Amino acid sequence: MQNRRAEEGSPWVWRARFWGHEPAFDIAMLEHGYHLVYCDVVEFWGAPKAVERWNHFYALAQKIGLGARPVLEGMSRGGTYIFNWAKANPTKVTAIYGDNPLLDLRAFPNGTPEARAMRKQCLESYGITEAQLPDFKGSPVDGLEALAAAKVPVFLVLGMKDDVVPITQHADVLEARYKALGGSVTRWEKPDSGHHPHGLNPVKPLVDAVLEAAK
């Protein structure tokens, strides 16, 4: 399929972090007439200042004529951006695709020096300390009521052997909470995969599900 024209309404996929990594879904959506959009929020980890910057970017997207309700895509730490922005803007989202997403800051990895440095950076972005973290309620897994009420479908692609962002501490938590609120979650499990590689192969079932949600 080689679609070189945008679909009516200028639909778009808004990707968070890791631009160009495992792009099968992006390429497929481009072929279906979607625009592909990226806004760099450095390492703000979905904190309020990241949401604010995305709000400004969304306003720009509307000004140039992109559709009102993008599909949000986030791999790994990209999950923090897409879910926290969606929670703040539930009526502006068609669907959410999370790929081994980081969703609970309380379960942020800290097993290596690199992970501990990122954890410190993340907490600083939110303006909280390790002592405050156990009671923190601003993770993507928290406050899902408005998103569920807006009936935004969530699609998850999960490497079940992920030991970086364990499914039981992140995706499973969000799925259980979202479904308890009446939200829709569809997941594809990769039994032998870890945190990498991201993406679904073949990607068609995910693409079809997202396109169906956009109807």
Side-chain angles (χ1 to χ4, degrees):
M1 182 177 180
Q2 293 289 329
N3 186 358
R4 300 300 184 189
R5 301 180 61 181
E7 283 293 296
E8 182 178 354
S10 294
W12 49 301
V13 172
W14 193 352
R15 179 157 182 166
R17 203 63 178 82
F18 306 116
W19 172 259
H21 179 66
E22 296 292 350
F25 175 77
D26 300 336
I27 293 170
M29 295 302 286
L30 285 168
E31 291 176 344
H32 281 281
Y34 275 62
H35 297 274
L36 180 61
V37 175
Y38 178 73
C39 174
D40 191 357
V41 281
V42 199
E43 295 296 6
F44 290 162
W45 302 93
K49 53 190 170 185
V51 173
E52 181 181 5
R53 183 176 293 185
W54 269 34
N55 285 340
H56 289 305
F57 190 86
Y58 177 83
L60 174 63
Q62 297 308 286
K63 189 174 182 179
I64 65 175
L66 293 181
R69 297 171 63 236
V71 173
L72 305 184
E73 175 190 5
M75 296 179 176
S76 191
R77 72 191 74 169
T80 62
Y81 304 105
I82 60 175
F83 277 97
N84 279 353
W85 191 83
K87 290 190 303 181
N89 299 274
T91 63
K92 299 175 182 176
V93 181
T94 289
I96 299 173
Y97 158 39
D99 197 301
N100 281 72
L102 174 67
L103 299 173
D104 192 343
L105 301 188
R106 290 162 294 193
F108 197 107
N110 64 354
T112 67
E114 180 183 16
R116 286 190 287 274
M118 289 192 291
R119 181 182 175 110
K120 181 175 182 291
Q121 181 188 64
C122 177
L123 297 189
E124 288 174 349
S125 294
Y126 282 86
I128 60 175
T129 66
E130 285 285 353
Q132 295 170 317
L133 186 57
D135 297 319
F136 181 63
K137 300 298 182 184
S139 290
V141 296
D142 300 313
L144 296 165
E145 290 82 2
L147 197 60
K151 300 187 184 304
V152 176
V154 171
F155 302 105
L156 299 173
V157 174
L158 305 172
M160 301 306 291
K161 292 184 178 179
D162 190 344
D163 58 0
V164 178
V165 183
I167 304 306
T168 56
Q169 296 176 328
H170 295 272
D172 285 352
V173 176
L174 182 132
E175 180 175 357
R177 292 184 180 184
Y178 202 56
K179 285 183 173 179
L181 293 167
S184 171
V185 180
T186 303
R187 62 195 275 166
W188 288 268
E189 297 182 356
K190 300 184 291 184
D192 297 321
S193 293
H195 193 63
H196 295 282
H198 291 290
L200 187 65
N201 184 22
V203 75
K204 187 177 186 302
L206 172 61
V207 172
D208 288 348
V210 170
L211 293 175
E212 181 64 27
K215 290 182 178 179

